Amino acid sequence: MKVVGKPIRKKDAMALVTGKPVYMDDVAPKDCLIVKVLRSPHANALVKTIRIDRAKKVEGIEAVYTWEDVPNQRFTMAGQTYPEPSPYDRLILDRHVRYVGDPVAIVAGENDACVDKALKLIKVEYEVLPAILDFHKSKDNALLVHPEENWEAKCPVGADNQRNLCACGYDSMGDIDAVFEDCDVVVEETYHTLANQQAMMETFRTTCYMDAYGRLNVLSSTQIVFHLRRILSEALGTSKSKIRVVKPRIGGGFGAKQSAVAEIYPAFVTWKTGKPSKMIFTREESQIASSPRHEMEVSVRVGANQDGKIRAIDVYTLSNTGAYGEHGPTTVGLSGHKSIPLYGSLESFRFAYDVVYTNTMSAGAYRGYGATQGIFAVESAVSQLAAKLGMDPVELRMKNMVREGQVMPAYYGETTRSCALDRCMMRAKEMIGWDEKYPCRDMGNGKVRSVGVSMAMQGSGISGVDVGSATIKLNEDGIYTLLIGAADMGTGCDTILSQMAAECLDCTIDDIIVGGADTDTSPYDSGSYASSTTYVTGRAVEIACEKLKEKICQRASQMMDCSVEGLEFDGHVVKDLESKKSVTLQEIGTSSMCGNECALQVTETHSSPVSPPPFMVGMVEIELDKETGHVEILDYVAVVDCGTVINPNLARVQVEGGLVQGIGMALYENIQYTQKGQMMNQSFMQYKVPTRLDMGKLRVEFEPSYEPTGPFGAKSIGEIVINTPSPAIAHAIYNATGLWFRELPITSEKIAMGLLEK
């Protein structure tokens, strides 16, 4: 291949590094009303009275809105395909506020100063209600987070607001209790992962204006332009055709921008006033009122024979969706369906879950999307099983891991058509020098060096649901325009999809112009989430380009008055092999503009009935100080099977970025609430993410497989990369200390105190 598989520079690289105005705030209208919201200081309360008269008199204030001014039609902010699994439990503003940070009023004014002044002049009297802050106490509690009658679940996900249930479910194979009864060794443990913030550099932000035709135009840093259009139409009570959503360059998303966190409020202001508006979240707002990872408690049982044959896995997940249900019913499924199938010869499995409401910040989508929490639990339990059996944990995994060609009952019955997990494990073992370093080495100065291992899987889009589309057209100068609805949020999908188009059309990537994510001009695309873009939209690009080549040859045959069957297209010239006549691509493009009935443009849509999983092995070497509990990452090796690697450079930085986020989840990121439900981590002073000094040496390699259903044999890579650090680091800490830590993050204090108690 000439273009696919090559480390080509991102198409927008120079614009970004030279500071071109490409982000939302760079291109927003200059005369926007500034929009901010007044937020609740209480975790659970009813607004008894709200006085806005003094606020409205502040010079420069355009409008102040309360719960009495908004539609009483509930919706969900989750960017998911309709009908959304997430319950309809939101109002733009609600009299009942359900967490500290829930919006109470919207203020719009000419500048920040007047809006800030007006916010301070709003007087609210609350009826403070008891709050549910512990998600263990939520299910079937007499206190209801959502007692309202117009709460609605569009899909049968086991939701019941009268039980504080956002979702519940069950899946199994075989008689699991009988299998456990027959096992020689059983490990049974419970693991707890806290919420994590995506902490992307660009906070949530949106600008809106009305165009000359009375349509609401929304320019937003979002991953989901088409879903966002639907969300806004439901919230505002208007037709989707009256709304246009456009995505500029995004300064990071990681799933946070798969929810309509900021867009509702400026959209409502512009809809009501007709004036341009803009809302930009502060970092504090992004910390206390956004869409972090779901807190989960995952209980695991693993049963095996004395020889290491794993026979049964039982997983129960309790997930905390917070005050609202965005992504609650869907994230939890991955905690079992993307962890249990890693082990391919189980006689039985069981997976059950409950997702509960609490009076804490609403959770949402975050890279890994529930698989991260489940894999931490299952992989930690398997490492503990290895210790109990006295087996090398690499050997135990090699004995039991899923292999190519196996049916995966716990992964919706799919068959692995491409799986290099065994080769990933062997390569990672070689890279880190596992046999020489396992389990640990005493360095003689109070410090211990040890290693840990984990493996992971994810998916490639949502099977039977996600839709990717592409429009490709030939311009008169022989250059192509590729229109897509997928959102490049720094991942490089514009570049990767261009590489696929260039490979199909036998041209360079510079011959492909990309136009992205505009609901008026892009073909429909579910959006950039669920690791779907390369696999789902990429296949649409591949199909569209092949059909455009047919149209190019058809037009050339008309120009040369010859049969299509005898034509050859080399990417630049179409040649008639019999007559030796030829026409250039530029001539074909120009001729199509006069007396032509063959449109040199193709739109194709693709949806896949399967979601082939990428696989990964991560191994870490740490140095642990037994006196202070400090953990230093010395070396992290990651070997990934994502099918055919479309762009090695972009794939590598995807892996490195995900590893750093996983390291942060394992060691540093620690969301904490007060007894009144106020978040204590309101800035990066309190919420610690890893810096370059904390991540150690990262080494990434790829072990290719070939996925027959993917474009050029490709699978996804965006999410799997975050899943191995937590269990691998926890395993390494056990090898250094003899202590299992089952709650994240594993801080230095926890390690030091654990060693003192030991």
Side-chain angles (χ1 to χ4, degrees), residues 604-622:
E604 283 295 325
T605 294
H606 177 66
S607 184
S608 176
V610 295
S611 177
F615 296 96
M616 176 178 175
V617 170
M619 291 188 182
V620 65
E621 182 180 9
I622 66 169

Side-chain angles (χ1 to χ4, degrees), residues 113-367:
C114 73
V115 172
D116 289 340
K117 183 177 180 181
L119 286 169
K120 294 176 183 176
L121 294 175
I122 297 174
K123 301 302 178 186
V124 187
E125 183 184 358
Y126 296 95
E127 178 187 345
V128 180
L129 305 172
I132 301 174
L133 300 177
D134 183 349
F135 72 134
H136 300 95
K137 299 177 181 179
S138 180
K139 182 180 175 181
D140 294 323
N141 196 309
L143 177 64
L144 298 179
V145 178
H146 282 278
E148 65 272 10
E149 293 183 359
N150 61 347
W151 177 98
E152 182 184 10
K154 295 280 188 182
C155 295
V157 293
D160 186 348
N161 62 320
Q162 299 303 311
R163 300 182 63 198
N164 283 332
L165 274 177
C166 176
C168 64
Y170 180 91
D171 187 20
S172 67
M173 176 192 75
D175 187 342
I176 193 160
D177 294 323
V179 176
F180 273 117
E181 186 71 25
D182 192 49
C183 286
D184 298 326
V185 180
V186 175
V187 169
E188 184 171 0
E189 300 291 352
T190 297
Y191 302 84
H192 183 207
T193 63
L194 299 182
N196 302 125
Q197 284 290 1
Q198 294 88 347
M200 59 281 173
M201 285 191 290
E202 182 195 36
T203 61
F204 302 93
R205 53 195 59 200
T206 301
T207 187
C208 303
Y209 64 92
M210 303 299 290
D211 65 20
Y213 303 99
R215 299 174 71 224
L216 176 65
N217 282 244
V218 180
L219 183 69
S220 183
S221 183
T222 179
Q223 301 171 216
I224 45 156
V225 291
F226 285 97
H227 291 335
L228 178 56
R229 181 178 64 177
R230 184 188 66 251
I231 293 168
L232 293 175
S233 76
E234 290 167 347
L236 299 174
T238 189
S239 166
K240 300 177 186 65
S241 63
K242 292 184 178 179
I243 301 173
R244 177 190 184 190
V245 179
V246 182
K247 175 208 73 76
R249 280 279 158 248
I250 300 179
F254 309 118
K257 295 171 183 176
Q258 196 194 333
S259 297
V261 174
E263 291 87 351
I264 299 291
Y265 311 107
F268 182 73
V269 168
T270 296
W271 190 249
K272 294 285 283 187
T273 67
K275 296 183 178 181
S277 67
K278 178 172 69 174
M279 186 175 196
I280 296 179
F281 270 42
T282 62
R283 179 57 61 183
E284 179 177 342
E285 285 182 299
S286 292
Q287 287 293 113
I288 68 168
S290 54
S291 57
R293 187 186 298 285
H294 288 74
E295 176 186 20
M296 290 187 187
E297 185 177 83
V298 185
S299 299
V300 181
R301 277 197 302 166
V302 180
N305 290 339
Q306 197 64 47
D307 64 359
K309 172 69 169 64
I310 297 176
R311 300 176 60 191
I313 298 179
D314 186 6
V315 172
Y316 170 73
T317 301
L318 178 65
S319 178
N320 181 7
T321 194
Y324 300 96
E326 283 93 14
H327 301 278
T330 42
T331 50
V332 70
L334 277 67
S335 68
H337 291 306
K338 302 273 172 82
S339 58
I340 299 171
L342 282 166
Y343 297 92
S345 300
L346 299 178
E347 297 171 35
S348 182
F349 80 86
R350 178 167 57 199
F351 173 43
Y353 57 83
D354 290 307
V355 184
V356 295
Y357 285 111
T358 62
N359 294 115
T360 58
M361 175 174 42
S362 175
Y366 184 4
R367 192 180 209 165

Side-chain angles (χ1 to χ4, degrees), residues 350-479:
R350 178 167 57 199
F351 173 43
Y353 57 83
D354 290 307
V355 184
V356 295
Y357 285 111
T358 62
N359 294 115
T360 58
M361 175 174 42
S362 175
Y366 184 4
R367 192 180 209 165
Y369 203 80
T372 314
Q373 297 96 306
I375 287 171
F376 167 63
V378 170
E379 283 297 280
S380 293
V382 169
S383 290
Q384 185 172 336
L385 174 65
K388 202 168 183 177
L389 290 169
M391 283 185 70
D392 185 313
V394 171
E395 179 187 341
L396 179 65
R397 286 175 170 85
M398 288 296 294
K399 186 181 185 73
N400 293 282
M401 67 174 55
V402 65
R403 306 273 177 157
E404 190 165 293
Q406 285 187 313
V407 176
M408 299 176 287
Y411 189 61
Y412 319 107
E414 286 194 22
T415 300
T416 53
R417 302 186 189 185
S418 57
C419 178
L421 185 56
D422 53 346
R423 301 199 302 274
C424 290
M425 183 67 74
M426 289 296 95
R427 181 63 186 128
K429 178 182 179 181
E430 178 187 349
M431 288 171 66
I432 208 162
W434 180 267
D435 290 338
E436 296 78 37
K437 297 175 180 177
Y438 172 77
C440 66
R441 295 170 292 157
D442 193 322
M443 305 309 292
N445 55 357
K447 296 182 179 181
V448 180
R449 291 188 176 184
S450 62
V451 289
V453 61
S454 173
M455 57 189 193
M457 62 180 282
Q458 196 75 36
S460 299
I462 306 171
S463 56
V465 174
D466 282 348
V467 171
S469 301
T471 297
I472 184 83
K473 61 180 180 177
L474 176 66
N475 300 316
E476 60 183 297
D477 56 357
I479 300 297

Side-chain angles (χ1 to χ4, degrees), residues 33-55:
L33 295 172
I34 301 301
V35 178
K36 299 186 181 184
V37 296
L38 179 70
R39 299 188 180 277
S40 168
H42 304 293
N44 194 20
L46 292 174
V47 176
K48 293 178 67 176
T49 62
I50 181 166
R51 290 189 56 188
I52 61 174
D53 51 329
R54 292 180 64 197

Side-chain angles (χ1 to χ4, degrees), residues 426-603:
M426 289 296 95
R427 181 63 186 128
K429 178 182 179 181
E430 178 187 349
M431 288 171 66
I432 208 162
W434 180 267
D435 290 338
E436 296 78 37
K437 297 175 180 177
Y438 172 77
C440 66
R441 295 170 292 157
D442 193 322
M443 305 309 292
N445 55 357
K447 296 182 179 181
V448 180
R449 291 188 176 184
S450 62
V451 289
V453 61
S454 173
M455 57 189 193
M457 62 180 282
Q458 196 75 36
S460 299
I462 306 171
S463 56
V465 174
D466 282 348
V467 171
S469 301
T471 297
I472 184 83
K473 61 180 180 177
L474 176 66
N475 300 316
E476 60 183 297
D477 56 357
I479 300 297
Y480 301 97
T481 297
L482 175 65
L483 301 177
I484 55 174
D488 191 330
M489 50 183 163
T491 51
C493 79
D494 287 1
T495 305
I496 289 167
L497 296 175
S498 296
Q499 285 182 257
M500 294 183 186
E503 189 68 47
C504 290
L505 296 166
D506 205 6
C507 64
T508 70
I509 194 172
D510 293 331
D511 293 330
I512 309 291
I513 301 166
V514 184
D518 180 337
T519 56
D520 271 9
T521 61
S522 301
Y524 176 79
D525 194 291
S526 301
S528 293
Y529 61 89
S531 301
S532 63
T533 303
T534 297
Y535 177 75
V536 179
T537 307
R539 185 74 179 119
V541 169
E542 190 178 35
I543 297 168
C545 289
E546 291 302 322
K547 291 194 174 181
L548 180 60
K549 284 169 65 176
E550 294 175 7
K551 289 199 166 195
I552 289 170
C553 290
Q554 182 182 343
R555 180 58 186 163
S557 72
Q558 295 171 354
M559 294 171 65
M560 294 186 287
D561 193 23
C562 62
S563 170
V564 174
E565 285 72 23
L567 297 183
E568 181 181 75
F569 177 44
D570 67 1
H572 304 282
V573 174
V574 178
K575 181 184 294 185
D576 179 12
L577 298 179
E578 184 176 340
S579 68
K580 307 303 182 185
K581 293 180 182 178
S582 65
V583 288
T584 67
L585 199 57
Q586 185 172 347
E587 290 171 335
I588 295 170
T590 301
S591 79
S592 67
M593 302 177 68
C594 181
N596 175 43
E597 295 180 349
C598 176
L600 298 184
Q601 176 173 314
V602 174
T603 299

